Amino acid sequence: MTGLVVCVAVLAVASAFGLMQRRRSGRMKVRQGEAALGAAQLGEALGDRATLVQFSSAFCAPCRATRRVLGEVAEMVPGVAHVEIDAEERLDLVRELGVLKTPTVLVLDAAGHIVRRASGQPRKADVIAALGEAV
């Protein structure tokens, strides 16, 4: 009987933790004090007004959906570029920026400063709102 109680307690705690992580995933967070990123680091030119940087990996299903969302937003808003970086190929940049999971999305202003960051798949509305801060 004691084993059953322990098992139920562990399942309850694990479920609560999972729900909390799911709720936080993809939320855009304000970032300040980080160094600016340039075209040399990203491997592509920055957008005139803002840049959406996506760190992806080959077998990441949310990365494909994020690619689609960021591509649509970049096409919608003039002067915004979408840059996708393979996290496995750019481990130096991943470590420098503290990317812990894919997809990770950075919203850069015209100068390359990080204004927002999301770990996990962001919602389209959140990306558009973050761009409002960057431009």
Side-chain angles (χ1 to χ4, degrees), residues 31 34 37 42 53-57 60 63 83-108 114 116-120:
R31 303 300 291 189
E34 292 190 56
L37 298 173
L42 299 177
V53 179
Q54 174 185 350
F55 286 89
S56 299
S57 54
C60 168
C63 293
V83 176
E84 187 170 4
I85 297 173
D86 186 336
E88 295 171 29
E89 290 179 7
R90 296 296 313 273
L91 288 176
D92 57 329
L93 195 55
V94 165
R95 288 184 185 115
E96 180 183 334
L97 297 172
V99 174
L100 300 177
K101 71 184 233 182
T102 58
T104 291
V105 176
L106 307 176
V107 179
L108 310 180
I114 300 170
R116 292 282 180 160
R117 177 184 184 127
S119 292

Side-chain angles (χ1 to χ4, degrees), residues 15-100:
S15 296
F17 181 76
L19 290 173
M20 183 180 69
Q21 286 296 98
R22 176 186 264 178
R23 187 169 183 221
R24 292 177 48 190
S25 181
R27 294 259 174 123
M28 289 284 180
K29 296 170 182 71
V30 177
R31 303 300 291 189
Q32 294 178 344
E34 292 190 56
L37 298 173
Q41 288 172 297
L42 299 177
E44 292 186 38
L46 295 173
D48 293 333
R49 297 177 65 199
T51 305
L52 302 171
V53 179
Q54 174 185 350
F55 286 89
S56 299
S57 54
F59 299 103
C60 168
C63 293
R64 290 188 290 275
T66 300
R67 179 183 311 120
R68 182 182 46 76
V69 167
L70 297 182
E72 289 173 3
V73 172
E75 286 179 14
M76 248 176 31
V77 183
V80 174
H82 173 220
V83 176
E84 187 170 4
I85 297 173
D86 186 336
E88 295 171 29
E89 290 179 7
R90 296 296 313 273
L91 288 176
D92 57 329
L93 195 55
V94 165
R95 288 184 185 115
E96 180 183 334
L97 297 172
V99 174
L100 300 177

